[in-house]
Amino acid sequence: MKALYNYLKEVAFAFVSLANGLLLTLKYFVTPWKSIITENYPDNRANPSVADEFAGEVILIHDENNEHKCTACTLCQLACPNNSIQIISKQVETEDGKKKKVLDKWVYHLEMCTFCKQCIDACPQDAIKMTNSYELSCFDRSTLTKILNQPGSKLKEKPKVTAKVQE
Amino acid sequence: MIQFSDVLAWIHQLLSSCMAPWLVFLIELVVASVAAVVALLVCVIIMVYMERKVAGHMQLRHGPNRVGWHGVCQLFADIIKLLLKECFTPTRADKLLFVVAPVLSLCVSLLALAPISWGPGLVLWNTNIGVLFVTAISSMGVIGILMAGWSSNNKYALMGAMRSGAQIVSYELSAGLSIVAIVALAGTLNTGGIIESQANGWWILKGHLPAFFAFIIYIIASTAECNRAPFDLAEAESELTAGYHTEYSGMQFGIFYLNEYINMGVVSMVASTLFLGGWQPFYLPFDFGWAHAFNDIMALKFMETWPAWISWVSLAWPLVWFFGKLFLIIFFMMWFRWTFPRLRIDQLLKLEWKYLLPLSIVNLVIIALIVVLGLHF
């Protein structure tokens, strides 16, 4: 008797849970103006709602003095799972005669990028970020290889650490 | 009031007056079957568009909205695309069976149309074994599926066909038992007779709860029989193809696709004939004055004193009910498809053999008791 009761209870609860799902989709079906979340992309190019978290292409952040924060440490290049980043650095001599490695070209292969954000996580300087641009398609494959550092840009010098003055 | 039988008799007389009897018979045969197939094809066109719109809205999308007004011409664009595609046969496939399989399954689906009553007196083959014929023929659809899978020279197609076959054969049982329940209530296998027996209320109301359970079991089983979600486990996950027709392309694939929708139409017609009164309007099975008044309004009794041309318009009234019920049941099947997740093969067979079949047998026993004791309205 217990077994029969459990059997029937199982059937009844199955129907209740199915009805829950059916009611939800019926709600979506009868109120399409509320529930449809599709962006009418080609029709509405002007102001589509793109989430801030949406990961588009990688950019190197430049400030108003055309300075970036990349020290060419290549950690992003190492973190990238499919080699879409190439950091080309060069040796320069500073005023006090020291040799220093600085960024020459920050090469980004957009066609290979999987938008995984691992380069962003790996960067110790917070020099790069991902924009939420979504119109990345183009007719020529070669335009997808980008050099991210702007011409004439240079490393942003960190403010000199000064000893705390005792009051 | 003009009935369809009057119109048909008038056409028959008109033809007989100017032709030999065998020619009249031939012309009537061809015209009737072409009319039925065209009506069904129009239903299929509406169904395909409806499915894509329903799917879109239930999945928070728009559905087709590019070709024509709200995408209504999308289906015609698809048909043109399918017609332009090449139909090719895999190497070392069984060529004859490969070509015959889609045609065979289409024939089987169309054969099941023969005894269906579309309106009062509007039936292709008025036979006293109508429902039996439909169940017998619709279970033959599995032959086309197995043939397609076997002849494809592809082990995935064969496996898909076997899974579909196992599913169709097992769900045939509970669908058949719920059909038997209504046949027991109506006391006839003739589809016209079953519909006539609902002139004072549909069986889903007159047969109390067991008839309602039989309806639910029939809907579940026929959804599975049509190979539709949530029972479409032959469907490939990332493609638009379903196991047994993996190797088909162009219009051969199109025929399988068409066949799925024709099958849906046929099972919905059977469901509406058996449970929802076919072309009968909604009648109340009670013996009160207001119920009789309601039934008279539903039967358009008040139109009898109106001018004659209005009775021509009222000829469409049973068709409105018939196709309304058809599309209501089809909407239910689409609603299931876009709500429920797909079942695994063991869950699917468990549902049939552990739940649906025992429940429908118990249900049939209760219905038999109702019939014997005369408890139905």
Side-chain angles (χ1 to χ4, degrees), chain B residues 3-187:
Chain B
Q3 292 291 312
F4 279 111
S5 44
D6 303 334
V7 178
L8 294 177
W10 179 72
I11 293 173
H12 181 74
Q13 272 183 355
L14 195 73
L15 288 174
S16 300
S17 64
C18 56
M19 277 179 231
W22 65 270
L23 198 62
V24 173
F25 175 73
L26 193 72
I27 288 177
E28 280 177 357
L29 203 68
V30 170
V31 168
S33 45
V34 166
V37 170
V38 166
L40 198 69
L41 285 182
V42 171
C43 284
V44 167
I45 288 171
I46 299 171
M47 265 146 70
V48 173
Y49 176 71
M50 180 177 154
E51 168 123 87
R52 297 176 69 163
K53 269 308 201 200
V54 168
H57 286 193
M58 283 184 176
Q59 296 180 332
L60 314 182
R61 302 185 276 113
H62 283 291
N65 62 352
R66 291 280 134 187
V67 192
W69 180 80
H70 282 254
V72 284
C73 298
Q74 182 66 54
L75 181 78
F76 302 103
D78 289 346
I79 290 172
I80 291 168
K81 189 191 86 176
L82 280 177
L83 284 172
L84 290 177
K85 277 189 164 185
E86 186 194 358
C87 295
F88 54 84
T89 320
T91 39
R92 290 165 60 204
D94 193 327
K95 285 228 165 55
L96 178 67
L97 288 189
F98 190 81
V99 174
V100 163
V103 181
L104 186 85
S105 34
L106 186 69
C107 285
V108 164
S109 315
L110 289 177
L111 266 180
L113 274 184
I116 282 170
S117 180
W118 300 70
L122 205 63
V123 54
L124 286 176
W125 181 34
N126 194 5
T127 171
N128 55 353
I129 55 151
V131 177
L132 178 69
F133 180 81
V134 174
T135 35
I137 284 295
S138 62
S139 59
M140 264 172 59
V142 72
I143 298 283
I145 287 173
L146 285 177
M147 203 182 261
W150 187 80
S151 64
S152 287
N153 187 26
N154 177 338
K155 53 173 98 72
Y156 298 107
L158 180 58
M159 264 147 63
M162 283 164 71
R163 286 152 76 101
S164 303
Q167 169 185 337
I168 291 172
V169 167
S170 45
Y171 277 87
E172 199 68 49
L173 295 167
S174 29
L177 281 178
S178 40
I179 287 173
V180 168
I182 297 304
V183 169
L185 280 170

Side-chain angles (χ1 to χ4, degrees), chain A:
Chain A
M1 219 47 214
K2 190 85 193 297
L4 184 66
Y5 172 73
N6 282 340
Y7 175 87
L8 291 176
K9 201 172 82 176
E10 204 179 328
V11 172
F13 271 91
F15 272 103
V16 169
S17 78
L18 291 178
N20 278 335
L22 286 174
L23 285 178
L24 183 72
T25 43
L26 186 67
K27 198 181 88 187
Y28 291 152
F29 180 72
V30 296
T31 58
W33 60 91
K34 273 188 199 167
S35 51
I36 287 178
I37 53 172
T38 316
E39 287 289 333
N40 293 333
Y41 163 56
D43 298 338
N44 177 21
R45 266 198 156 105
N47 49 356
S49 66
V50 181
D52 292 338
E53 299 81 22
F54 177 78
E57 61 181 329
V58 175
I59 58 162
L60 189 63
I61 305 168
H62 287 76
D63 65 3
E64 64 277 7
N65 302 326
N66 202 12
E67 286 176 338
H68 58 77
K69 289 194 270 187
C70 181
T71 56
C73 67
T74 71
L75 279 177
C76 51
Q77 188 180 349
L78 292 170
C80 185
N82 44 357
N83 293 334
S84 52
I85 296 173
Q86 268 176 289
I87 304 293
I88 299 168
S89 53
K90 62 182 176 193
Q91 298 282 341
V92 291
E93 220 165 287
T94 50
E95 302 106 51
D96 43 348
K98 281 180 186 166
K99 280 200 172 165
K100 196 184 171 192
K101 190 171 78 169
V102 294
L103 183 69
D104 184 22
K105 275 178 186 164
W106 208 107
V107 184
Y108 173 47
H109 298 279
L110 180 57
E111 77 269 29
M112 291 198 283
C113 183
T114 57
F115 311 102
C116 65
K117 278 190 171 177
Q118 289 191 45
C119 52
I120 314 291
D121 293 339
C123 183
Q125 309 288 341
D126 290 334
I128 47 178
K129 70 168 183 180
M130 289 186 112
T131 59
N132 53 7
S133 59
Y134 56 93
E135 278 187 321
L136 301 173
S137 55
C138 64
F139 287 105
D140 187 2
R141 192 167 170 268
S142 63
T143 58
L144 289 172
T145 302
K146 299 181 176 181
I147 293 167
L148 293 188
N149 52 331
Q150 292 169 5
S153 64
K154 63 177 197 297
L155 181 66
K156 187 178 190 175
E157 295 297 334
K158 279 185 185 160
K160 287 278 190 299
V161 181
T162 47
K164 262 188 186 172
V165 182
Q166 292 240 319
E167 300 250 351

